[in-house]
Amino acid sequence: MIEIFSRKKNTKSIRDLFIETSSLTKNAFGTMKKAVLAYVDGNFDLAEKESKITIATEKKQDRVKEEIFERIFSRETMVFSRTDRILIIENIDKITNKIEFVVRKLLLYQVNIKDPLKEGIKELAELNMRIGNEVHEMVIAVLDDFEKTRFHITEITNLRRTVREKQWELQKMNYDYQDDFLGFRYTETLIKYLMETADRAEIFADRVFILINKYAP
């Protein structure tokens, strides 16, 4: 469906860089999940380690984004316009920025999450990781197969809906079980950031949906 031409040799194509940047987002979702699970279980050292890996991944993605922006204005072409290529990369980057908010939250303060909330927060982290996998697959698909892209868009939307339902359930439980103000407020914000990460992925999926309808033959 999409042809990419490059006169450069021994360099990654724009296509390769698009896949690389979405792969980094996928990896960030994975290490964020490990960090959240460790934090909830009270393993703060491991949570810190995985959080720092996640932050490093976000920084690496910034370097890839810079390279893409340099190449976008070269003669190397894709079906997507330069404006739409920038839109895709900026939206991937915004997802990773939200992931970074989650792990930086973990580094701020140590709270003992009450048992009734633990499994639900772990589930939010797991759902987010699944969303990250779908985002990566969606980016790969949009370069070749718009119909397959639609499938991944639907999966992201459905997973985000599940996250939303779990978020409200956990916020209610937070009122019931987290009985000190600092613990309550910290837990509330952590849940909120996990929700916002899923939201950001769905916003990207919505924008990809618009793009595939724009470019569909």
Side-chain angles (χ1 to χ4, degrees):
M1 180 177 294
I2 292 176
E3 294 183 346
I4 301 174
F5 305 92
S6 176
R7 296 183 180 182
K8 294 185 177 182
K9 295 181 179 179
N10 301 320
T11 60
K12 294 179 181 177
S13 66
I14 289 183
R15 174 195 177 96
D16 292 337
L17 293 171
F18 270 61
I19 293 173
E20 182 178 354
T21 195
S22 71
S23 177
L24 289 167
T25 295
K26 174 183 173 181
N27 293 344
F29 269 109
T31 52
M32 179 191 75
K33 174 194 166 183
K34 292 178 182 178
V36 171
L37 266 57
Y39 188 97
V40 168
D41 285 337
N43 189 341
F44 300 122
D45 289 341
L46 179 59
E48 180 178 358
K49 176 185 173 182
E50 297 295 340
S51 294
K52 289 180 176 179
I53 292 172
T54 307
I55 292 167
T57 301
E58 191 275 337
K59 290 179 179 177
K60 182 177 181 181
Q61 187 182 68
D62 282 345
R63 304 292 79 77
V64 177
K65 182 178 75 170
E66 289 167 5
E67 183 176 355
I68 291 172
F69 284 173
E70 289 175 0
R71 299 275 288 282
I72 278 174
F73 297 102
S74 70
R75 293 184 178 182
E76 193 171 359
T77 62
M78 299 174 70
V79 152
F80 300 119
S81 69
R82 288 187 175 98
T83 300
D84 288 335
R85 280 178 257 170
I86 291 171
L87 180 147
I88 291 170
I89 294 303
E90 289 285 13
N91 275 271
I92 295 171
D93 183 62
K94 287 177 181 178
I95 297 170
T96 315
N97 287 343
K98 286 293 185 182
I99 294 170
E100 185 183 8
F101 283 2
V102 173
V103 297
R104 287 198 178 277
K105 178 72 177 178
L106 300 180
L107 294 173
L108 286 177
Y109 189 68
Q110 294 181 1
V111 167
N112 292 316
I113 305 293
K114 295 297 179 67
D115 286 339
L117 289 156
K118 286 183 177 181
E119 292 307 313
I121 294 173
K122 288 180 180 180
E123 185 177 349
L124 282 186
E126 171 65 31
L127 287 165
N128 266 283
M129 191 184 75
R130 290 171 60 189
I131 288 172
N133 293 340
E134 293 297 331
V135 166
H136 181 52
E137 294 300 324
M138 179 180 70
V139 172
I140 294 173
V142 79
L143 301 174
D144 295 304
D145 186 339
F146 284 179
E147 285 305 312
K148 190 174 181 181
T149 305
R150 293 176 192 275
F151 169 79
H152 294 296
I153 290 169
T154 300
E155 289 297 298
I156 291 167
T157 302
N158 290 339
L159 286 166
R160 180 264 180 192
R161 186 177 298 113
T162 303
V163 169
R164 173 66 71 182
E165 292 169 356
K166 177 59 64 173
Q167 180 234 358
W168 288 119
E169 176 187 330
L170 287 169
Q171 294 291 26
K172 183 180 184 304
M173 291 174 67
N174 192 36
Y175 280 98
D176 292 337
Y177 294 104
Q178 210 72 26
D179 51 11
D180 68 283
F181 177 75
L182 285 177
F184 169 83
R185 183 66 179 132
Y186 181 93
T187 305
E188 179 183 52
T189 308
L190 177 59
I191 294 167
K192 176 175 176 284
Y193 283 177
L194 287 164
M195 180 70 244
E196 289 177 351
T197 303
D199 282 345
R200 191 71 245 177
E202 188 188 38
I203 290 169
F204 179 41
D206 289 342
R207 290 176 179 169
V208 170
F209 181 76
I210 292 170
L211 285 181
I212 63 176
N213 281 285
K214 176 180 177 180
Y215 289 97

